[in-house]
Amino acid sequence: MNENGTATPAPSAEESSDIAALAKGGQQNVLGFLMRLAARLPFLFIAGRLYGADALGRFASALVVVELVALICSIGEKRGLAQRLSEGDEDQAHLVYDGMLVALLLASLAGLVLYLVPAPLFPSGEFKTLDRLIVIAIPGYALTEIVLAAQAYRYDIATTVRARALVEPWTISILAGVLWLFAPLREAGLSLAYLASIYAGLLTALWTFLRSYGLPQGWVPSPNRMMRMTWRALPLAMADAIEWGTRRVDIFILGLFAAPSAVGVYYVAQQVASLPQKLKTSFEPILGPVITRALKDKDYAAIARQVCQVGFWITAAQAGIALALGIPGEAIMGLVGPNFVGGTGALAFLLAAEVVAATAVVSEAALIYVARFKNLLVSIATIGLQALLTVGAMLAVDAYGLSDLWRAAGAALSLMLALGVSSVVKATMLSRILQQTVNNWRWALVWAVAAAIAVGELAIRLPEWAELIFGIPAILGVYGWIIWKRGFGPEDRVLFKRQKKDRATPSTAAPPAG
């Protein structure tokens, strides 16, 4: 029975196995979140306290362009690779290496162009010669996306956690601190530390990938085959870039209207808010193989159940994290430096944006296979709406003569509104295509949020150190307890069960029909 009192059909044995795979990925994602939190905060502290808001703002502006270009160069393989491996008759390793070669060529060309023409990286015009080396990260980032997608197809999320939650963030944190000690490298320290972190993550991913897929023996690159692959992947690559761009166009527009220091404050708020975002994006690789298999069987009801199941897990987790980070927001932003406390309003809107975006993300995980072009159109409309709202917010701040910190809050509010519209549209679209209800809302969320807010109101009256040490766990604790008691059913509690290690993966199962 669901919370509305109506009977829900029992999942098949295969679907139960899929839910177990999703749950295992979810368990690893929670571990990854805690590891990211432990590593991300030292970086923000070092960047804010040592380098300052201006340097952080210049770094953030360059990062927007570098990661967007790298994502485009990965030609949609982050989510499209699962479908190619499920449908293709060729050797799986050869299919992966095709994508890697195309990504390497495109990323290298894009990096060369940006090195020669660095204006898009640094719209303020302020940069050092060594800062331009950040473009070398583009091939590494693109290849990492593909390698991790290949591992996720075989239900290996642990490699993603190691590379993205352990190696990358700790490398950038440690090197940012070390490079600041060397005066000749200090001004480009953030860019160089980021560059090193990307390739450290790539090497970590390749270590497992090569043991899993092996070297490309017998692989002969074919320009015609890779052109067909690239053309087919173009809509998905654009959708990936646009979805990612909705998290970065705000920084780009803010950089055009505001001083680098305001961009730096906004970047810190965005980095804190992006911690819960990793929970949903990390589910995408494991959702891909599950959904593509259900599509082959035309089991649309199973797809709807899986989307709703994962959607609720993500929404519940993100809402709790948003409350735990947002209520003591001033104390958290103050850790980075006194100049960053003014970004608390932007942090609140950004955290809310991640919660409302959860439905769009899980719906899109299925839409990219059943309505790729329509999904692309909605994504384009979403980023267009966000850009219009953000520019409107910038102009409103000018009209009222407000400070740049109001610009940061306006950019965050624009993101939240655009993502909310996207969630409604994409969930409705998927529901009509599958002819199944797609809704991850449960009323238990209301009770849990209300209780967490009540505890948070008490926590913010404590000294800042106590607010962080005792307040955050208390908010999470009461929220989690109510969600567990009122929101979770038996099918949800599998998320917290120990998963067996002998689950068959796509690599060991019978090959799909061509």
Side-chain angles (χ1 to χ4, degrees), residues 83-240:
Q83 188 173 30
R84 288 207 301 123
L85 294 177
S86 295
E87 296 177 352
D89 293 326
E90 300 95 332
D91 185 280
Q92 289 186 348
H94 292 180
L95 291 173
V96 177
Y97 281 109
D98 279 348
M100 292 176 68
L101 179 58
V102 172
L104 180 61
L105 294 174
L106 292 176
S108 299
L109 178 61
L112 178 61
V113 171
L114 286 173
Y115 182 83
L116 297 175
V117 186
L121 295 168
F122 308 100
S124 67
E126 302 175 24
F127 63 92
K128 302 298 179 182
T129 302
L130 287 176
D131 281 326
R132 297 164 69 179
L133 295 179
I134 196 172
V135 300
I136 301 175
I138 296 175
Y141 190 103
L143 290 175
T144 304
E145 290 288 290
I146 297 175
V147 170
L148 293 179
Q151 287 303 111
Y153 180 74
R154 298 188 172 182
Y155 298 111
D156 173 18
I157 302 300
T159 298
T160 298
V161 172
R162 282 195 298 271
R164 287 282 162 81
L166 180 63
V167 174
E168 285 186 12
W170 276 112
T171 299
I172 192 173
S173 295
I174 293 171
L175 278 183
V178 171
L179 291 173
W180 187 83
L181 300 175
F182 296 90
L185 302 177
R186 181 176 300 167
E187 292 187 334
L190 294 177
S191 297
L192 295 177
Y194 172 76
L195 176 59
S197 73
I198 291 299
Y199 281 95
L202 175 60
L203 291 175
T204 302
L206 283 174
W207 177 263
T208 307
F209 170 79
L210 292 175
R211 288 189 297 168
S212 179
Y213 286 85
L215 294 172
Q217 299 187 13
W219 172 60
V220 179
S222 168
N224 289 335
R225 186 176 67 244
M226 289 188 289
M227 282 291 293
R228 289 195 301 270
M229 177 194 71
T230 304
W231 178 255
R232 180 185 178 187
L234 191 59
L236 183 54
M238 292 178 63
D240 278 346

Side-chain angles (χ1 to χ4, degrees), residues 311-334:
F312 173 69
W313 289 347
I314 293 172
T315 300
Q318 287 184 316
I321 295 167
L323 291 165
L325 297 178
I327 294 174
E330 288 189 3
I332 289 176
M333 294 295 287

